[in-house]
Amino acid sequence: MARHARPTVVLVHGAFADASGFARVIPELAAAGLGVMAPAVPNRGLVDDASYIASVVRAVEGPVILVGHSYGGAVITLAGTEDNVRALVYLAGYALEEGESLAELQGRFPDSGLADALVHTPFPVAGSTKTGTDVSVAVDRFPALFAADVDPDLAAVLAVSQRPLAARAFSEAAPVAAWKTKPSWGLVASADRTINPDVERFGYRRAGMTTVEVDSSHLVMLAQPKAVVELIMDAARSTGALIPPRSDA
């Protein structure tokens, strides 16, 4: 029956990163028989990014588990309203309320170490004489802030291969909040120095999510992939799909 069809997991990366951050998670999900997609997020603005991810989701035949890391959590909060999305999974992410922006949610809590490590760079806007502003993280600060428990050589590569986020993404309000109508799971990275873990806890609690805490840096998918995979599988099982437990469970 369709109810038991194994879902496709769509993995949505965050700011200052790309889909390669899911490299330790994708093989495990595929081995469990799940479809997996990890699209590149444009990182041009919250509404535009969510519209793009929504188009990816609509093209998937069958149920979708939508997973968002960091800023990707804000993106799935909008894109998760697509009809075939069966569950949302937030990884050290932002769970925005309808009408709320990233800046407003973060502003309720003390800054993490990220705030004074941000670098602002102008970029040309097609068809306009105006410029936009890209936000990235100072390369020398990136490993300690994002990936303190990730292999140092890999963290160094990630630092110089960042994908910046357009500054306007921080001030755009979420027009919808998919977690109000879709079952949701949240992972708090308790050693996060990029997002204050209390921002994650607050958003998840407000949404009534099933929540776990993991002693991890912000890049929990690379630092603690087993915990991430199991949380995603829990969400997938909620759709009625027959997914075996972890072999080491």
Side-chain angles (χ1 to χ4, degrees):
M1 300 291 291
R3 186 176 100 83
H4 298 294
R6 291 197 178 186
T8 296
V9 178
V10 178
L11 301 164
V12 180
H13 67 78
F16 323 129
D18 61 28
S20 66
F22 294 105
R24 298 188 67 189
V25 170
I26 292 171
E28 297 292 332
L29 297 173
L34 296 169
V36 185
M37 298 179 66
V41 181
N43 281 4
R44 296 295 81 188
L46 177 59
V47 174
D48 288 347
D49 291 344
S51 178
Y52 173 73
I53 293 300
S55 75
V56 172
V57 169
R58 285 195 299 273
V60 176
E61 293 187 7
V64 166
I65 307 299
L66 196 51
V67 180
H69 173 247
S70 190
Y71 167 67
V75 174
I76 71 169
T77 297
L78 280 60
T81 58
E82 289 299 314
D83 289 344
N84 59 333
V85 173
R86 298 291 182 265
L88 306 172
V89 180
Y90 291 77
L91 306 174
Y94 295 102
L96 298 178
E97 173 61 280
E98 185 175 336
E100 183 177 59
S101 69
L102 291 170
E104 288 170 337
L105 176 55
Q106 287 195 142
R108 298 177 179 179
F109 300 89
D111 285 338
S112 67
L114 180 67
D116 65 357
L118 295 177
V119 177
H120 296 80
T121 307
F123 68 86
V125 177
S128 174
T129 58
K130 297 180 179 179
T131 59
T133 301
D134 263 340
V135 181
S136 58
V137 181
V139 170
D140 62 335
R141 302 282 302 279
F142 184 98
L145 289 172
F146 260 67
D149 49 1
V150 174
D151 176 81
D153 291 337
L154 175 56
V157 171
L158 297 173
V160 300
S161 59
Q162 293 178 55
R163 294 193 58 229
L165 177 66
R168 70 187 183 100
F170 292 96
S171 59
E172 287 186 287
V176 295
W179 48 260
K180 291 188 173 184
T181 58
K182 305 293 174 77
S184 304
W185 283 254
L187 183 150
V188 175
S190 60
D192 201 334
R193 295 183 60 197
T194 298
I195 299 176
N196 183 332
D198 284 339
V199 173
E200 301 163 22
R201 294 182 182 107
F202 173 81
Y204 300 169
R205 183 170 60 250
R206 178 173 63 184
M209 294 186 196
T210 300
T211 304
V212 300
E213 297 221 6
V214 178
D215 183 12
S216 173
S217 69
H218 190 58
L219 288 180
V220 64
M221 312 90 70
L222 291 171
Q224 298 287 346
K226 288 187 180 298
V228 170
V229 168
E230 189 58 22
L231 190 66
I232 295 171
M233 287 188 175
D234 284 347
R237 291 185 189 103
S238 76
T239 69
L242 300 177
I243 299 171
R246 287 186 313 197
S247 59
D248 62 345

